[in-house]
Amino acid sequence: MAAALELFSTRDAEDVSIDDVAAAAGASRALVYHYFGGKQELYVAALRSAAEQLESRLRPHDGGSPLDELASGLKRYFDFVEEHAAGFAALLRGGPANRAGEVGEIVDGVRRRLFRLIQKQMHVEEPSPVLRTTLRSWIASVETAGLDWLEHRDVERPTLEKMLVDHMVALLGVAATYDGDVARLLERLA
C-alpha cells in the first residue's frame, strides 16, 4: 500500500501501472492483481488507507478549550502530513480529474467527518448556513496549506499551525458580522 501511495502521489494515476506498483513494493504483478483486481481498485484502496490514517489522527483528545483542541488537532494533522506526505498528497489530489465515484466519496467523506469533529469541538448542534460555509472554507484552506507546505516548506510548522488557528478566528469574526449565532459562538471561544 505504501508503494502505491508513493507512486500515486508523485505521478498521475493514469501514468502508474500495476507493474510500477509491484516493482516498487518488491512484489509480483500477479500478487497485486490477486489482492486488488486492477489499478482502479488499488488506487481506491490506497486512498482509503490514507483517509483512515488521517482520520485516526484527528480524533479529539478532549483537552482544553475548543481553540486549544483545534490547535492540537492541527498539530496532529501536520504530523500526518509530514509523516505520510505521499498518502496526504494522493488523498487530496484525488488523481483522475473526474472526482465522482469512490474517489470523490473518500475525499468528501474525510471532509464531512472533519467538519463534524470541528462542529462537535465547538459545541454546535446544527450550524447555520453562515457557520457551515465558514467551517468548510477553513477546511479547504487547511488542505491547501498542507499541500503548499509539502511543496515549499518555507514556513515553520508551528508558525503555520498558529496561523491557521488565527485564520479560523478571523473567519469566524467575519462570519459573526453576518450571523448572530456565530457572534455568540465567537464570544464563547474567546
Side-chain angles (χ1 to χ4, degrees), residues 127-132 172-185:
S128 67
V130 170
L131 181 57
R132 183 192 66 238
L172 289 171
V174 171
T177 64
Y178 295 91
D179 186 324
D181 289 339
V182 177
R184 288 182 285 283
L185 170 64

Side-chain angles (χ1 to χ4, degrees), residues 1 4 8 13 18 21 32-49 102-103 106:
M1 195 59 64
F8 287 131
I18 291 292
V21 174
V32 175
Y33 272 111
H34 172 74
Y35 282 103
F36 298 103
K39 186 170 71 170
Q40 180 64 22
E41 291 85 357
L42 174 61
Y43 181 71
V44 168
L47 286 183
R48 224 178 274 289
S49 173
E102 288 181 288
V103 173
I106 292 167

Side-chain angles (χ1 to χ4, degrees), residues 92-135:
L92 291 184
R93 288 194 177 114
N98 180 1
R99 297 289 295 256
E102 288 181 288
V103 173
E105 288 174 23
I106 292 167
V107 175
D108 289 342
V110 170
R111 290 178 180 142
R112 282 190 305 273
R113 287 184 286 282
L114 291 176
F115 180 89
R116 284 193 299 271
L117 281 172
I118 295 166
Q119 180 184 334
K120 183 178 178 183
Q121 287 173 334
M122 292 185 174
H123 308 289
V124 173
E125 283 293 318
E126 186 63 38
S128 67
V130 170
L131 181 57
R132 183 192 66 238
T133 301
T134 300
L135 296 181

